[in-house]
Amino acid sequence: MTATAVLTARALLLDMDGTLVNSDASVERVWRRWADRNGLDGDEVMKVVHGRQGYASMALLLPDRPMEQNHADNARMLAEETADTEGVVQVPGARDFLASLQGLPHALVTSADVALSTARMAAAGLAQPDVRVTAESVGASKPHPEGFLKGAAELGVDPADCVVFEDSGAGIAAGRAAGMRVVGIGPRAAFHSPDVVVRDLTQVRVEPNPDGTISLHVTA
């Protein structure tokens, strides 16, 4: 039996990787190479990297390494990821979901930088939202709430009136820390207790309301 939850918001804040774009194949290739270079177990590395900026993942995995080295390594990793778009596709329903948001307040809030987010959205055949908060826009990585709070501020919407779409533990924690409700996307999200969780974006329908709010009909 299916159940439909209805969430009401004034703005939607959308993660990219795992939420709009399935980039798992690229992420696995690049990060497992990094794990090999640094003598780390690839499976353990993959448990950490989703949702965070690369330097923040590196700081967790190599806590004794200087942060300057993490930032330099992260720059190289971003270039590798930007060049590697093989297998990058939309999460089912993402294209129609984004089309349904035209004219409604929404923003992309991603741990990717401008180059990587542009490359992956293009590879997946998805249009970029007009408002984007990328790695260059923030001083702290998810699970810090800065990115989502900046997205809300750019849209001029109170954080409590925003709904976040996320797939990772770090991203869900960031949305919660920002005082927002969270729709979890995909199997990773289910482990981190979002407000509701769906398989993909085919299970979300957007309905604009006359008072300027947005109703999200979420079928779980």
Side-chain angles (χ1 to χ4, degrees), residues 51-52 56 60 140-146 148 169-178:
R52 293 181 173 85
L60 289 173
S141 170
K142 299 171 186 177
H144 195 282
E146 182 185 1
F148 287 124
I172 291 167
R176 288 201 178 284

Side-chain angles (χ1 to χ4, degrees), residues 32-204:
R32 285 185 183 276
R33 286 198 298 268
W34 181 87
D36 287 344
R37 289 197 298 269
N38 289 278
L40 297 175
D41 181 87
D43 291 340
E44 294 304 310
V45 167
M46 295 313 302
K47 293 176 183 177
V48 172
V49 301
H50 292 290
R52 293 181 173 85
Q53 291 194 44
Y55 73 85
S57 296
M58 293 171 191
L60 289 173
L61 292 160
L62 296 171
D64 297 327
R65 193 165 79 157
M67 189 56 80
E68 321 74 270
Q69 191 174 344
N70 292 337
H71 281 287
D73 215 358
N74 185 47
R76 289 189 291 271
M77 292 282 285
L78 284 168
E80 281 187 57
E81 289 184 290
T82 301
D84 182 357
T85 57
E86 183 180 351
V88 174
V89 296
Q90 69 159 330
V91 166
R95 191 173 295 112
D96 289 342
F97 176 72
L98 286 171
S100 74
L101 297 182
Q102 290 303 306
L104 301 177
H106 67 288
L108 186 73
V109 181
T110 176
S111 295
D113 64 2
V114 169
L116 180 56
S117 59
T118 300
R120 284 188 175 161
M121 291 288 280
L126 299 177
Q128 292 260 27
D130 292 335
V131 178
R132 299 183 288 277
V133 178
T134 61
E136 296 93 338
S137 310
V138 297
S141 170
K142 299 171 186 177
H144 195 282
E146 182 185 1
F148 287 124
L149 292 172
K150 283 201 167 186
E154 288 211 28
L155 295 171
V157 176
D158 189 278
D161 291 326
C162 295
V163 169
V164 165
F165 285 72
E166 264 286 0
D167 73 301
S168 71
I172 291 167
R176 288 201 178 284
M180 302 173 182
R181 291 154 294 157
V182 181
V183 176
I185 308 295
R188 278 193 293 267
F191 293 103
H192 303 285
S193 302
D195 292 274
V196 294
V197 62
V198 295
R199 180 185 64 253
D200 55 45
L201 290 165
T202 64
Q203 295 179 281
V204 182

